């Protein structure tokens, strides 16, 4: 991904797509066809239509009556095929021109296209139960401790993509970290480039996140190399490293109560939801719980087993038929999640006030492609040539 050369849409569809359809990706993509209307992708003079026929995916030259037609530039098409940017990122940038439909049609087709282009499976819910690699049922409510073996921790984590580990940090350690967050929060100001703010209905600014928190706190900086966190971050991949100087570094999440405008509460998403999956994943975020977390304070929730797959965001009514995990915690607990597991940071239902410090561990490709002080989402959203040249090695 150091240099993504423009992909010619005509050549790709004529010479590459037939082989993908004939191989294992064709049936993989077809599993997501249910209910989709035909989609035409137009890039320059090239137009190709995707549709389901008798349960199989067909890709045909030209347009088709009744199809939603999405026009992309060569750059947008290249980014989409290579997963530098997702459909959501292209829509945010205003780089999708839609006729006879809406951009939601492209969103609905994206799991099928990711399966075809990249070989990423579509998550197919088979009920609320989940099994591990050995076929053993997984207890989604299970809480672990550091006394459990790496083998048991890894088997659970590989199956679910998210886990809770009890009592990792002592009350004294939690108190010291809370004091550091208090100090940084007191110094934070809107527009300081080191904090995120939301707004109340009355227009009052409310602090909801501190980024690069290790820059001004040695206690927080030391967390990146804490042996307990290193152990948990490397259960599945031993080459992950903390991204303290990029990707917003070590982050302190604060959950204010009440209805807010802004990014205090993030609905169902993956951390690579705007793009960059090939270099961001499989990142692992370790969350140190400085307060307890419950639905009243806005605790983490996830759909277990969705990491490494594409899963549409569920409606509330869908959760009973999915391996849904609500992850309440006590102060000193740690949560661990893989970046592309489908998860949410919902609004508190009550008093709010949850505090979590996140240290994220990234694969080597991230450090090769995103430079210090940069975040992949910044590059994805701006898509300026200068930033891409600096941050993505072009």
């Amino acid at each position: 991904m150091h240099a993504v050369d423009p992909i010619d849409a005509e050549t790709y569809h004529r010479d590459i797509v037939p082989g993908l359809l004939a191989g294992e990706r064709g049936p993989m993509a077809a599993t997501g066809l249910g209910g989709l209307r035909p989609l035409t992708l137009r890039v320059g003079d090239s137009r190709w239509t995707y549709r389901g026929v008798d349960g199989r995916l067909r890709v045909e030259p030209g347009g088709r009556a009744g199809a939603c037609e999405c026009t992309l530039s060569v750059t947008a098409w290249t980014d989409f095929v290579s997963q530098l940017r997702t459909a959501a990122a292209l829509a945010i940038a205003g780089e999708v021109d839609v006729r006879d439909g809406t951009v939601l049609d492209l969103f609905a087709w994206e799991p099928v296209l990711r399966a075809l282009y990249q070989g990423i499976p579509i998550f197919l819910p088979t009920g609320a139960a989940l099994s591990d690699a050995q076929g053993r049922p997984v207890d989604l409510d299970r809480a672990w401790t550091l006394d459990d073996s790496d083998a048991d921790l890894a088997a659970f984590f590989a199956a679910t993509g998210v886990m809770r580990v009890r009592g990792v940090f002592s009350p004294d350690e939690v108190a010291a970290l809370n004091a550091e967050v208090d100090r940084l929060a007191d110094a934070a100001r809107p527009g300081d480039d080191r904090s995120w703010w939301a707004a109340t209905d009355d227009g009052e600014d409310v602090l909801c996140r501190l980024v690069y928190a290790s820059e001004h706190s040695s206690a927080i900086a030391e967390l990146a190399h804490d042996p307990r966190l290193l152990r948990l971050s490397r259960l599945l991949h031993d080459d992950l490293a903390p991204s303290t100087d990029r990707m917003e570094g070590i982050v302190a999440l604060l959950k204010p109560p009440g209805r807010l405008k802004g990014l205090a509460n993030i609905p169902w998403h993956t951390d690579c939801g705007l793009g960059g999956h090939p270099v961001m994943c499989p990142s692992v975020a370790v969350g140190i719980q400085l307060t307890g977390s419950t639905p009243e304070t806005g605790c983490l929730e996830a759909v277990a087993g969705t990491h490494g797959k594409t899963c549409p965001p569920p409606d509330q009514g869908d959760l009973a038929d999915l391996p849904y995990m609500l992850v309440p915690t006590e102060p000193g607990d740690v949560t661990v999640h893989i970046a592309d597991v489908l998860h949410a940071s919902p609004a508190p239902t009550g008093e709010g006030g949850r505090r979590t410090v996140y240290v994220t561990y990234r694969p080597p490709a991230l450090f090769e492609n995103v430079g210090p002080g940069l975040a992949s989402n910044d590059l994805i959203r701006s898509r300026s040539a200068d930033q891409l040249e600096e941050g993505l090695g072009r």
Side-chain angles (χ1 to χ4, degrees), residues 276-295:
H277 175 81
V279 300
M280 287 179 62
C281 299
S283 298
V284 171
V286 183
I288 303 151
Q289 307 301 311
L290 302 187
T291 62
S293 67
T294 64

Side-chain angles (χ1 to χ4, degrees), residues 124-382:
L124 298 174
T126 56
L130 190 71
S131 300
D132 66 14
Q134 285 71 47
R136 300 171 298 192
V138 174
D139 179 5
L140 297 180
D141 295 324
R142 172 74 184 266
W144 300 85
T145 74
L146 293 179
D147 292 332
D148 291 298
S149 71
D150 282 2
D152 287 341
L153 291 169
F156 181 89
F157 194 41
T160 61
V162 61
M163 67 191 306
R164 167 182 47 207
V165 186
R166 296 289 196 195
V168 175
F169 285 78
S170 71
D172 286 346
E173 289 176 305
V174 169
L177 289 171
N178 264 315
E180 288 297 279
V181 172
D182 285 339
R183 183 176 63 80
L184 296 178
D186 287 343
R189 297 292 183 271
D192 62 11
D193 200 35
R194 288 297 180 264
S195 57
W196 291 14
W197 297 76
T200 66
D201 285 339
D202 296 331
E204 179 185 355
D205 290 325
V206 180
L207 179 65
C208 60
R209 186 171 300 211
L210 298 164
V211 301
Y212 293 107
S214 62
E215 288 182 345
H216 302 290
S217 170
S218 59
I220 291 176
E222 290 169 1
L223 294 172
H225 301 286
D226 186 295
R228 296 166 294 186
L229 304 193
L230 290 171
R231 176 191 172 194
L232 293 173
S233 71
R234 295 172 178 173
L235 288 170
L236 302 181
H237 303 277
D238 61 8
D239 60 350
L240 304 186
S243 54
T244 56
D245 65 344
R246 65 202 75 195
M247 301 297 291
E248 298 183 338
I250 297 179
V251 172
L253 174 70
L254 298 88
K255 279 282 187 181
R259 195 170 73 173
L260 300 170
K261 301 173 185 176
L263 292 174
N265 307 302
I266 304 178
W268 290 107
H269 68 286
T270 63
D271 294 340
C272 56
L274 290 181
H277 175 81
V279 300
M280 287 179 62
C281 299
S283 298
V284 171
V286 183
I288 303 151
Q289 307 301 311
L290 302 187
T291 62
S293 67
T294 64
E296 289 73 27
T297 60
C299 64
L300 175 70
E301 55 187 18
V303 179
T306 53
H307 53 296
K309 303 178 178 68
T310 301
C311 180
D315 294 325
Q316 192 66 29
D318 298 332
L319 296 180
D321 297 320
L322 292 169
Y324 168 69
M325 289 181 69
L326 189 69
V327 193
T329 60
E330 297 293 335
D333 293 351
V334 158
T335 59
V336 192
H337 74 267
I338 298 175
D340 64 346
V341 74
L342 189 67
H343 60 286
S345 178
T349 61
E351 70 272 19
R354 170 165 79 94
R355 281 186 172 188
T356 305
V357 171
Y358 281 103
V359 185
T360 303
Y361 297 82
R362 313 277 185 182
L366 186 283
F367 297 91
E368 296 166 4
N369 288 279
V370 179
L374 298 175
S376 59
N377 281 352
D378 296 333
L379 303 175
I380 291 160
R381 281 192 292 263
S382 64

Side-chain angles (χ1 to χ4, degrees), residues 6-66:
I7 297 173
D8 180 75
E10 188 70 21
T11 302
Y12 186 85
H13 282 96
R14 186 186 64 238
D15 297 345
I16 296 176
V17 165
L20 299 179
L21 289 170
E24 62 180 16
R25 294 189 188 181
M28 182 189 297
T31 62
L33 287 172
L36 294 181
R37 60 181 293 201
L39 175 76
T40 298
L41 293 181
R42 180 170 187 164
V43 184
D45 294 329
S46 177
R47 288 202 306 174
W48 291 79
T49 296
Y50 295 68
R51 63 190 183 104
V53 179
D54 297 328
R56 301 180 66 181
L57 175 62
R58 295 184 65 172
V59 183
E60 303 162 330
R64 187 176 184 87

